[in-house]
Amino acid sequence: MRFDVLTLFPSMFEAVLGESIIGRARSRGIITLNFINIRDYSEDKHRRVDDYPYGGGKGMVMQPGPIYNAYKSVVEGLEYKPKVIYLTPQGKVFNQAMAKELAKEKHLILLCGHYEGVDERIIEEIVDMELSIGDYVLTGGEIPAMAVIDAVCRLVPGVLGNEESFKDESHYSGLLEYPQYTRPPEFLGRRVPEVLLSGHHANIEKWRKEQSILRTCSKRPDLMDKILLKEKKEQI
Ligand code: SAM
């Protein structure tokens, strides 16, 4: 799977996406990440990419021209149109179901805004989808883009060692994951639940399922309500 990120700060990305699981997937050729500096596509002699908002007001707005040129440099010569995602606090709030859908794409372009955001006309011209990572405002789209890339990439086949490892995870089925334990069997007087030491796979599976339901009810009752509503709808 390929990602092209249009950003004013390409150097922010390597520290996060050059390491660990995503870094390994890149060196194995499963994932390709390109970070394109929008400033390189400015036609201004001072490489300017932003300007004052028409109508007045605080802050600067990213001009459409350099973003469009950067976008063109990615899509030129392609025989398909990659989906373009603008990271913005005005977008739909990103979740695991969206990550699952996006992991089916072969190529995504992510646009990171900065300052007051981007000129509306570039959104109209090239953007297919607007995604937010939550109802709060960050200084730029780089952290949201990294979050989306990380969440999507780990669902791409071959990125995680064992495909099963994300299927039990929180949000995959709608429930939160059961509690996890590792050695030692006792820590500060707290013992690992006996069932996990029993080696009885059916009992372990049953316990984990119950724990998933219990903790979803206590930590995220809103998710449990969604699951119950979905089940009710399916019965109708
Ligand atoms: N003026 C914009 C507004 O009120 O909608 C906010 C601009 S924000 C300071 C600058 C950039 O950060 C945005 O263009 C966007 O790319 C990114 N950004 C900020 N918060 C975000 C969030 N919650 N999710 C995704 N991107 C975000």
Side-chain angles (χ1 to χ4, degrees):
M1 180 171 189
R2 170 177 165 186
F3 291 80
D4 287 274
V5 183
L6 312 182
T7 169
L8 290 176
F9 301 97
S11 62
M12 282 188 180
F13 288 85
E14 279 304 336
V16 174
L17 300 172
E19 302 278 342
S20 181
I21 294 169
I22 307 300
R24 280 199 299 278
R26 288 170 73 188
S27 39
R28 282 159 56 216
I30 305 171
I31 301 289
T32 303
L33 304 182
N34 301 314
F35 307 113
I36 292 116
N37 191 342
I38 296 169
R39 201 173 291 282
D40 291 343
Y41 293 88
S42 166
E43 284 163 1
D44 179 85
K45 66 174 179 206
H46 303 294
R47 301 199 342 129
R48 198 171 171 167
V49 289
D50 58 343
D51 213 326
Y52 296 100
Y54 277 125
K58 285 192 187 139
M60 303 296 273
V61 177
M62 285 173 69
Q63 295 172 293
I67 298 173
Y68 189 67
N69 295 341
Y71 164 76
K72 277 289 189 200
S73 78
V74 173
V75 297
E76 233 149 40
L78 295 180
E79 282 162 6
Y80 57 90
K81 186 196 173 303
K83 190 170 271 177
V84 180
I85 299 173
Y86 174 44
L87 287 312
T88 163
Q90 301 186 16
K92 280 206 179 118
V93 179
F94 184 58
N95 63 26
Q96 190 71 10
M98 293 180 195
K100 244 192 268 181
E101 280 309 303
L102 291 176
K104 295 176 189 160
E105 301 281 335
K106 65 173 173 179
H107 186 178
L108 293 174
I109 299 178
L110 304 189
L111 170 61
C112 305
H114 233 84
Y115 318 121
E116 285 309 313
V118 301
D119 186 303
E120 190 65 22
R121 292 165 295 179
I122 197 69
I123 301 176
E124 292 163 6
E125 185 66 30
I126 68 168
V127 171
D128 302 298
M129 183 186 233
E130 297 186 33
L131 285 184
S132 162
I133 60 160
D135 291 339
Y136 43 82
V137 178
L138 299 165
T139 52
E142 285 72 20
I143 291 172
M146 289 183 224
V148 170
I149 292 171
D150 191 290
V152 171
C153 283
R154 61 198 298 289
L155 301 180
V156 171
V159 171
L160 295 184
N162 170 8
E163 285 234 5
E164 288 307 308
S165 49
F166 62 73
K167 297 208 168 140
D168 279 343
E169 275 181 333
S170 301
H171 304 294
Y172 192 85
S173 65
L175 292 170
L176 300 181
E177 193 183 54
Y178 46 79
Q180 298 274 17
Y181 299 87
T182 184
R183 279 191 283 191
E186 186 168 331
F187 176 69
L188 299 178
R190 295 169 192 272
R191 282 199 54 77
V192 170
E194 283 309 318
V195 63
L196 298 179
L197 306 175
S198 69
H200 192 301
H201 294 299
N203 284 355
I204 292 173
E205 207 177 305
K206 184 168 169 278
W207 180 85
R208 284 180 163 166
K209 181 84 191 163
E210 285 165 1
Q211 290 296 317
S212 260
I213 295 171
L214 285 174
R215 61 173 38 195
T216 308
C217 288
S218 70
K219 291 189 183 191
R220 291 291 305 272
D222 57 314
L223 294 180
M224 208 62 221
D225 290 346
K226 264 192 206 160
I227 293 174
L228 295 175
L229 195 68
K230 193 170 161 232
E231 280 176 5
K232 258 192 195 155
K233 276 188 186 156
E234 282 164 3
Q235 283 163 9
I236 297 170

